[in-house]
Amino acid sequence: MKREQIQAPKGVSEYVPPRSASFEWIRDQLIAPAKAAGYQLMELPVFEDTNLFSRGVGESTDVVSKEMYTFEDRGGRSITLRPEGTAGVMRAVIEHSLDRGQLPVKVFYSGAYFRAERPQAGRYRQFYQVGVESIGLDDPAIDAEIIALADTAFKNIGLRKYRLEITSLGDVQSRAAHKVDLVAFLKTLDLDEATQARAEINPLRLFDDKREEVRKKMLKAPLLMDYLSETSRANFSQVCSYLDALGITYTVNPRMVRGLDYYTGTTFEFIHEDLGAQSGIGGGGRYDGLMETLGGADLSGIGFGLGVDRILLAAEAEGVLVENQFASDLFIIPLGHPAKEMALSVAQNLRQSGFKVEIAFGDRALKGAMKAADKSGSAFAIVLGESELTSGAVELKRMKDGELSSVKISDLGKALSAHA
Ligand code: HAM
């Protein structure tokens, strides 16, 4: 009886060969600029105390109010699969006292995140992010560096059809001044109860409302940009001038609202043209106060999260990925047991010298094995049979033109380099 197949849960993104090679390449490209700038790896748990996100990300956000995978563990604790990376990084910085060492704390991370969203192209319930955070110094030049790290990664990948939007959400004074007018404005609107409740927790959220009627009403709302304090305004124009100096183009979008509540000051989003509704390929910003909210020191920070899945889709849409298939330097075809033993040790030695070597296992007929060698894209192939074991020499076949050269088994490494 054939047993029923089990399928992956709905809406998860997963990568299997050959596409996984492209995923891996994109992820490495996203990390590389951060590493080159001295950011270090943070590897954190995928589940955390639920309070970390309700307090850190904010109760009024969709992420916390509707999209968290929350469950009780066997000890009765409320646990949540991480919907994003910044809160966990702050938790770890505080817990490991990194905030009391050299500042800024500069870290990157890469991994799976979980949001119970309605799945569609580019929107998944398990997705992948590469993120970067710089914590502890409030210097507009850091904001520019952070934005440049993401921009460099996109350029290195070869993306062209993306844009950067940037705004400032100001400091406490700016937001307090704006809030008074915004709340007064919202009172003049005819809003349903749920929306009013959202507005009470965080009135800025209404700029993010997807409903056409609310969007229309919000067109006349006072903009935070017009309420920036002296310091916030000066910081923002400093960030912009650093970006100009770096040749990074951007548009200022004073209506930008990010889906997480911790943002203050410089806030930004990268948007790709070819991705339809899920066009945000990355975003981030500064977060004064987040660390203090989570029980740490009053340090500011700034960072971003890049959506690896969407960036892969964007790279595919722009056709910038090169065929990334594994191709070995040597493909060994052993005939019989003693030959397999020899193949295993020859392969191990050559791999240790830096060559990529595959072995044809499974006692296939020579013809079939040769076909496999051909298909594998390997540069060279050898057959190891009884006569080769006795003589200690093999015929090294160059796959692209079939040229054969007689080589001692002990000299294979040299021959591979010489004939390549
Ligand atoms: P975020 O904007 O919520 O920010 O997510 C960052 C990126 O993750 C998005 O731009 C998008 O590319 C990707 N993403 C988000 N949700 C999904 C999904 N359901 N499916 C596929 N991709 C998705 C953050 O998470 C912040 N922690 C970023 C940050 C770091 N801010 C400061 N530091």
Side-chain angles (χ1 to χ4, degrees):
M1 190 188 75
K2 195 160 180 332
R3 315 265 313 256
E4 198 188 324
Q5 265 186 338
I6 298 171
Q7 279 167 349
K10 197 171 166 234
V12 298
S13 75
E14 58 183 359
Y15 299 92
V16 299
R19 195 165 175 247
S20 52
S22 303
F23 174 85
E24 187 186 17
W25 183 78
I26 293 279
R27 188 192 53 199
D28 294 348
Q29 295 296 310
L30 296 176
I31 292 173
K35 270 190 166 177
Y39 289 74
Q40 291 181 295
L41 177 69
M42 232 189 214
E43 195 68 75
L44 298 176
V46 297
F47 59 89
E48 296 267 8
D49 184 329
T50 301
N51 287 319
L52 175 65
F53 304 113
S54 40
R55 236 204 282 165
V57 175
E59 301 275 10
S60 78
T61 61
D62 281 355
V63 169
V64 169
S65 63
K66 299 184 194 157
E67 297 170 358
M68 294 206 299
Y69 282 100
T70 299
F71 58 95
E72 205 171 271
D73 76 0
R74 286 163 199 274
R77 289 166 287 254
S78 180
I79 293 292
T80 293
L81 298 184
R82 60 184 185 190
E84 63 97 51
T86 312
V89 168
M90 291 307 121
R91 197 258 318 134
V93 165
I94 299 167
E95 197 164 333
H96 297 274
S97 307
L98 300 183
D99 51 336
R100 283 188 245 143
Q102 177 83 16
L103 296 179
V105 178
K106 292 161 64 181
V107 297
F108 73 89
Y109 49 91
S110 160
Y113 296 83
F114 308 86
R115 295 182 192 176
E117 299 193 81
R118 211 153 35 82
Q120 54 172 264
R123 187 166 73 191
Y124 311 106
R125 293 181 171 172
Q126 172 168 340
F127 59 98
Y128 294 88
Q129 273 191 9
V130 163
V132 158
E133 313 288 347
S134 171
I135 304 139
L137 279 187
D138 197 351
D139 180 340
I142 297 182
D143 303 26
E145 172 173 88
I146 289 279
I147 291 172
L149 293 178
D151 189 63
T152 303
F154 295 150
K155 287 193 175 128
N156 289 348
I157 288 168
L159 296 181
R160 291 163 162 274
K161 294 160 82 175
Y162 69 92
R163 66 173 190 276
L164 166 63
E165 291 190 355
I166 173 169
T167 191
S168 172
L169 298 180
D171 51 17
V172 182
Q173 291 89 312
S174 320
R175 280 196 306 283
H178 174 243
K179 194 172 176 181
V180 174
D181 285 3
L182 181 59
V183 168
F185 169 81
L186 294 177
K187 286 219 174 93
T188 68
L189 302 182
D190 182 22
L191 298 170
D192 60 82
E193 243 172 70
T195 313
Q196 276 178 21
R198 259 156 72 91
E200 251 160 58
I201 308 176
N202 181 359
L204 282 177
R205 286 247 73 85
L206 291 215
F207 283 103
D208 200 23
D209 205 300
K210 304 283 182 293
R211 290 167 299 179
E212 196 48 41
E213 70 272 18
V214 182
R215 288 178 89 94
K216 258 199 203 140
K217 287 177 186 162
M218 290 303 287
L219 280 177
K220 291 212 180 92
L223 297 175
L224 180 43
M225 264 297 206
D226 299 325
Y227 291 77
L228 292 187
S229 67
E230 264 321 290
T231 328
S232 289
R233 191 177 301 279
N235 276 353
F236 186 62
S237 74
Q238 190 60 258
V239 174
C240 292
S241 71
Y242 287 134
L243 292 177
D244 293 337
L246 282 167
I248 295 174
T249 44
Y250 55 87
T251 46
V252 176
N253 174 6
R255 295 181 164 268
M256 184 197 303
V257 183
R258 305 266 304 125
L260 315 160
D261 270 355
Y262 46 63
Y263 291 113
T264 60
T266 310
T267 308
F268 56 92
E269 246 166 20
F270 288 92
I271 294 147
H272 196 274
E273 277 169 35
D274 287 347
L275 294 185
Q278 304 307 316
S279 59
I281 52 173
R286 195 162 269 287
Y287 39 82
D288 304 334
L290 172 59
M291 195 139 159
E292 209 180 14
T293 305
L294 296 174
D298 183 15
L299 293 179
S300 175
I302 180 163
F304 61 63
L306 308 178
V308 187
D309 313 271
R310 292 185 191 172
I311 295 162
L312 174 56
L313 290 172
E316 287 169 341
E318 286 204 49
V320 294
L321 290 172
V322 280
E323 189 85 19
N324 209 329
Q325 200 200 334
F326 173 83
S328 58
D329 301 304
L330 180 66
F331 196 97
I332 305 178
I333 302 168
L335 305 174
H337 286 297
K340 274 190 202 168
E341 198 179 304
M342 171 69 96
L344 285 166
S345 80
V346 168
Q348 181 160 305
N349 287 336
L350 287 172
R351 287 174 194 147
Q352 235 144 27
S353 318
F355 294 103
K356 293 183 277 181
V357 183
E358 282 189 275
I359 304 174
F361 294 110
D363 304 314
R364 254 180 298 184
L366 183 57
K367 207 169 146 204
M370 260 305 169
K371 257 199 192 148
D374 229 2
K375 255 189 148 169
S376 78
S378 184
F380 292 92
I382 57 171
V383 176
L384 278 182
E386 249 172 67
S387 62
E388 284 79 9
L389 293 193
T390 321
S391 68
V394 290
E395 292 292 310
L396 181 66
K397 180 174 177 185
R398 189 160 66 186
M399 300 304 284
K400 69 172 182 217
D401 55 8
E403 187 197 86
L404 291 172
S405 37
S406 192
V407 174
K408 277 212 261 169
I409 292 176
S410 54
D411 286 345
L412 269 170
K414 257 191 262 165
L416 287 176
S417 309
H419 292 266

